[in-house]
Every structure is written in structure tokens, then in C-alpha cells.
């Protein structure tokens, strides 16, 4: 039996809980950890196996299934260095940019006219250790290769991802501190930005270069892009800057008193040149039973949208965002890592627009999955913080 240990650091507050929605303490569950390893395993092996069907076939061997039985490893989590908290008015989490990215666990309470935290969370700076115990399955000629793939998945998780609610928006960011295989340290986290850039570049090149078509799900491909943006002394200050720029980019602004000056919600700034005026016009002008030919551009950030309408794609009203926001410690500072993993966002299913349960409109004709909307947001941050920023299109070797 071989043993692999991953020492993980919680970088930003993690909204993670168990089956009890009313619990006042957060939990770090081994099932959730295994789920995240499985997610990043899928994301990093698609280019290797070529098709989703082949990935599923191998995944059943590695992680186990009702058809193949137990997988090739058992997993335990030591969370003795993790602490739960439930401070409804934590001023750091409630900064405008963080609150915007944390929508859901952070909600606006009309009675008191301010944002509040509604769920318990695991505090930042805690750490946990994931131990995987591998066993050899008779006839498995890829055993060592499977272990390597799990190591790659752990690296991807610790460099690009997180766990818990709003993890794609920077909360619950985890950093892989080190990997220990058979009691030997085989990998340690980057200590300089140049090392971080090299690690991510290698990951993109080895796990995505061979996949030229748009993936069927969130996975590394030649279309993936990563931007290193916004450096700061505190993790939540960095997340606040990213969130504030997203407000500037996505918001049409508010003018409740009809002054003619549109303010950015949560920020003491005016919205002078909204990027998505057409989206606002669309929302105001959709008519009952109308056959529409386009959808708001901002939907590419994920569904459900912030509009008063529900948008259904087939039987689904939810789509995860292709944009992952991760906060990575570098020395005594932190840097935001933005990853775009383009994938099929909607297929040929019928698209309906509803208000409540009432059908408002239906889509006729093809729609464009415009990932340039997200790329433009990444480029805005690069221009705003040019000294700390770089972008790495996976398919351009000179940039990795």
C-alpha cells in the first residue's frame, strides 16, 4: 500500500457545511474533499483520454463505482487545525467587493439595510491534511499512472481552486502547501511569482495542450487562460479588489433618486460607461411570449442570473461560471489567480425565459457562447495592475 499526503492551507473563509442546513458550525467533510479531487481529476485528464466517455471509464476504476467496486484509494482528512466561526458582521468579509463575490452566504438584509453573513464558515489560515492510501487492483496496468494523475489533480486544486459555497468566486481558496509520497516531500508550493507562473504554465501545457475542441465540461484545454492579478498583504483585501472590479465591469449602476448619476453599488464611484447597456435594455424590454434572438452577454458568468427572470436551458436553470477566482499566498503576500476554463455552456436544448412560473419568452435561433466577455474582465484587471499581472494562454508556449 502506497501513501500520498497533501497538506492544504485555507486561504480565504470557507463556507463549508454538512447535511444540516441549520448548523451553526462549519464542517470539513472527507466526502467534499474527495469530490474536489474528483473534479480536478476530470479537469486535468480530459486532454489525455480525449473523450468524456473514456474519462468516465477510467474514473470509475480510480474513484470506484457501483459497477467496478471500490476505487484504488481510501481517503482520510485530519482537520484538527481548522476552526469554525459564525460572525454575521465580519467587516473583512463584508467589504463591498468580497460581499459581491460572496452573494448567497452574504445577503442584503432589508430590515437593517446592510449585508450580513448567513452561514458559518471555516476561518482562513487553518490547515488540513489529506491522506490517500492506494491499493493495487489486480490487472491494473496503469496503477502508477493513476497515482500521478491524482497528484496532478491535487496540484491543480491547490493552485487554481477552492472548496465550499462561492469557491469559484474566491471564497474557500485552498493552497497546496506540499505533497508527501511514501514519506518523502515530492512537491512544495511556489515561493515566488516566477515559480507560480512556471507551475501553472506547466500544468496548462501538460494537461490541456492536446485538447483543441471546446470541452463538454469544465476542463483544461488549449482555450484555457490564466491571469495573475492584484497582489496585496491580506487575502481578503486582494479578493475585495477583484470583486470591486467585477462590480465596475458588470454593473449598470443604480440611481434610486433619479439624479441622472448612476452609482456603483457598494462603491463610492459613478458608472460612466456601462459595459452591458444592451443587457439592461434587454431586461427592460422583454415582452410576454416574445420570440427572442439573443440573450444577455453577462449570462456567460453563470446562471441563475441577477435579472428578475429565470432562464432555463432544457430542464436546467443553473450553469457554473467558467471563471475561477483563487487567492494564492506568495511569501508574505497574496495574489489573485483568475482561471478561465471555457466549456460548452449551452447546447441545442430549448431556452426559455420565465418570471416566476410564467413563460415570458423563448429563444429562436443559435446563440453565441461569448467567452470574450470573461477574457475582457481579466484584461481589465491586468491593465489596472500591470506590474503584478500576466496572462498565459495555454496554447502559446512563449507565454508559459
Amino acid at each position: 500500500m502506497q501513501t500520498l499526503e497533501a497538506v492544504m492551507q485555507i486561504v480565504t473563509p470557507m463556507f463549508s457545511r454538512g447535511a444540516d442546513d441549520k448548523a451553526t458550525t462549519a464542517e470539513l467533510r472527507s466526502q467534499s474533499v474527495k469530490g474536489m479531487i474528483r473534479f480536478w481529476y476530470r479537469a486535468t485528464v480530459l486532454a489525455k483520454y480525449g473523450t468524456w466517455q473514456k474519462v468516465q471509464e477510467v474514473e470509475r476504476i480510480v474513484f470506484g463505482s457501483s459497477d467496478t467496486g471500490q476505487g484504488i484509494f481510501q481517503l482520510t482528512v485530519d482537520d484538527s487545525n481548522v476552526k469554525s466561526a459564525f460572525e454575521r458582521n465580519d467587516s473583512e468579509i463584508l467589504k463591498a467587493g468580497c460581499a459581491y463575490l460572496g452573494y448567497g452566504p452574504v445577503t442584503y438584509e432589508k430590515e437593517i439595510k446592510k449585508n450580513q453573513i448567513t452561514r458559518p464558515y471555516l476561518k482562513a489560515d487553518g490547515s488540513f491534511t489529506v491522506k490517500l492510501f492506494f491499493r493495487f487492483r489486480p490487472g491494473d496496468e496503469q496503477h502508477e499512472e493513476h497515482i500521478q494523475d491524482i497528484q496532478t489533480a491535487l496540484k491543480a486544486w491547490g493552485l487554481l481552486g477552492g472548496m465550499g459555497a462561492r469557491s469559484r468566486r474566491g471564497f474557500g481558496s485552498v493552497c497546496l502547501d506540499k505533497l508527501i509520497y511514501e514519506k518523502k516531500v515530492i512537491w512544495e508550493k511556489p515561493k515566488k511569482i516566477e515559480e507560480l507562473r512556471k507551475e501553472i504554465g506547466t500544468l496548462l501545457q501538460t494537461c490541456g495542450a492536446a485538447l483543441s475542441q471546446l470541452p463538454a465540461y469544465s476542463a483544461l484545454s488549449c482555450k484555457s487562460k490564466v491571469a495573475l492579478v492584484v497582489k496585496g498583504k491580506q487575502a481578503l483585501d486582494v479578493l475585495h479588489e477583484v470583486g470591486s472590479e467585477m462590480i465596475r465591469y458588470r454593473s449598470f449602476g443604480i440611481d434610486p433618486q433619479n439624479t441622472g448619476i448612476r452609482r456603483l453599488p457598494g462603491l463610492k464611484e459613478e458608472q460612466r460607461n456601462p459595459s452591458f447597456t444592451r443587457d439592461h435594455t434587454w431586461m427592460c424590454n422583454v415582452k410576454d411570449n416574445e420570440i427572442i434572438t439573443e440573450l444577455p452577454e453577462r449570462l456567460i458568468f453563470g446562471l441563475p442570473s441577477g435579472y428578475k427572470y429565470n432562464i432555463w436551458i432544457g430542464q436546467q436553470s443553473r450553469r457554473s461560471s467558467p471563471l475561477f477566482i483563487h487567492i494564492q499566498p506568495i511569501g508574505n503576500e497574496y495574489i489573485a489567480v483568475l482561471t478561465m476554463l471555457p466549456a460548452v455552456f449551452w447546447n441545442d436544448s430549448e431556452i426559455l425565459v420565465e418570471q416566476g412560473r410564467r413563460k415570458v419568452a423563448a429563444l429562436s435561433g443559435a446563440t453565441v457562447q461569448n467567452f470574450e466577455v470573461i477574457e475582457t474582465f481579466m484584461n481589465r484587471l491586468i491593465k489596472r495592475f500591470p506590474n503584478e499581472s500576466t496572462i498565459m494562454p495555454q496554447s502559446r508556449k512563449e507565454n508559459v
Side-chain angles (χ1 to χ4, degrees), residues 35-146:
M36 293 313 305
I37 297 174
R38 194 168 195 153
F39 173 88
W40 287 104
Y41 174 85
R42 292 176 177 177
T44 52
V45 300
L46 181 59
K48 174 181 178 179
Y49 291 114
T51 67
W52 170 226
Q53 289 73 23
K54 182 61 177 178
V55 170
Q56 287 179 303
E57 178 185 327
V58 180
E59 179 187 326
R60 285 193 285 267
I61 296 173
V62 176
F63 288 86
S65 72
S66 57
D67 296 330
T68 60
Q70 188 178 12
I72 67 170
F73 67 88
Q74 291 181 315
L75 177 149
T76 64
V77 178
D78 178 1
D79 63 351
S80 56
N81 292 321
V82 171
K83 294 182 179 180
S84 176
F86 193 2
E87 300 176 25
R88 294 183 181 273
N89 297 299
D90 187 311
S91 59
E92 294 299 306
I93 296 177
L94 294 179
K95 289 179 180 178
C98 293
Y100 180 78
L101 294 174
Y103 179 75
V106 179
T107 60
Y108 182 77
E109 302 291 344
K110 293 182 179 180
E111 294 79 8
I112 58 177
K113 296 183 178 180
K114 66 177 184 179
N115 288 319
Q116 274 204 324
I117 300 165
T118 62
R119 302 182 194 175
Y121 53 89
L122 300 177
K123 300 176 72 172
D125 296 329
S127 63
F128 60 96
T129 300
V130 183
K131 290 186 178 181
L132 298 95
F133 303 93
F134 293 91
R135 65 182 184 89
F136 179 76
R137 293 170 58 111
D140 184 3
E141 298 178 355
Q142 293 181 285
H143 181 73
E144 294 297 331
E145 189 176 347
H146 293 326

Side-chain angles (χ1 to χ4, degrees), residues 234-267:
Q234 302 295 327
L236 286 179
D237 287 346
V238 173
L239 190 61
H240 165 66
E241 287 291 346
V242 175
S244 297
E245 186 59 26
M246 188 175 285
I247 292 173
R248 296 184 189 102
Y249 181 54
R250 293 183 62 176
S251 178
F252 189 72
I254 55 177
D255 183 16
Q257 298 178 350
N258 295 316
T259 62
I261 300 175
R262 309 197 68 83
R263 302 285 182 182
L264 288 168
L267 304 178

Side-chain angles (χ1 to χ4, degrees), residues 190-315:
K191 296 178 175 60
K192 299 179 181 180
I193 291 181
E194 292 75 16
E195 295 176 6
L196 176 63
R197 185 184 299 117
K198 182 179 179 180
E199 286 288 346
I200 295 176
T202 300
L203 184 70
L204 294 175
Q205 192 68 27
T206 56
C207 298
L211 190 63
S212 58
Q213 71 270 28
L214 193 65
Y217 62 90
S218 297
L220 299 183
S221 71
C222 70
K223 301 179 186 298
S224 302
K225 291 190 177 182
V226 176
L228 307 181
V229 295
V230 193
K231 190 168 63 176
K233 295 292 185 180
Q234 302 295 327
L236 286 179
D237 287 346
V238 173
L239 190 61
H240 165 66
E241 287 291 346
V242 175
S244 297
E245 186 59 26
M246 188 175 285
I247 292 173
R248 296 184 189 102
Y249 181 54
R250 293 183 62 176
S251 178
F252 189 72
I254 55 177
D255 183 16
Q257 298 178 350
N258 295 316
T259 62
I261 300 175
R262 309 197 68 83
R263 302 285 182 182
L264 288 168
L267 304 178
K268 296 179 180 179
E269 302 176 30
E270 299 176 13
Q271 177 55 290
R272 298 183 180 274
N273 299 297
S275 300
F276 300 100
T277 302
R278 185 176 66 82
D279 284 10
H280 182 77
T281 302
W282 178 94
M283 183 188 71
C284 295
N285 294 336
V286 171
K287 299 178 177 63
D288 285 4
N289 297 316
E290 181 181 4
I291 301 298
I292 56 178
T293 58
E294 58 185 14
L295 290 170
E297 290 183 302
R298 282 175 291 185
L299 293 188
I300 201 68
F301 277 99
L303 291 173
S305 67
Y307 301 109
K308 59 184 178 182
Y309 305 110
N310 292 323
I311 297 175
W312 291 80
I313 303 172
Q315 300 297 314

Side-chain angles (χ1 to χ4, degrees), residues 332-365:
N332 295 322
E333 296 182 304
Y334 298 86
I335 192 166
V337 180
L338 272 61
T339 304
M340 182 178 70
L341 299 182
V344 176
F345 196 71
W346 46 58
N347 48 32
D348 295 331
S349 301
E350 182 182 23
I351 298 178
L352 298 178
V353 180
E354 295 182 341
Q355 187 172 15
R357 294 190 176 184
R358 179 172 61 87
K359 176 180 174 181
V360 177
L363 186 71
S364 175

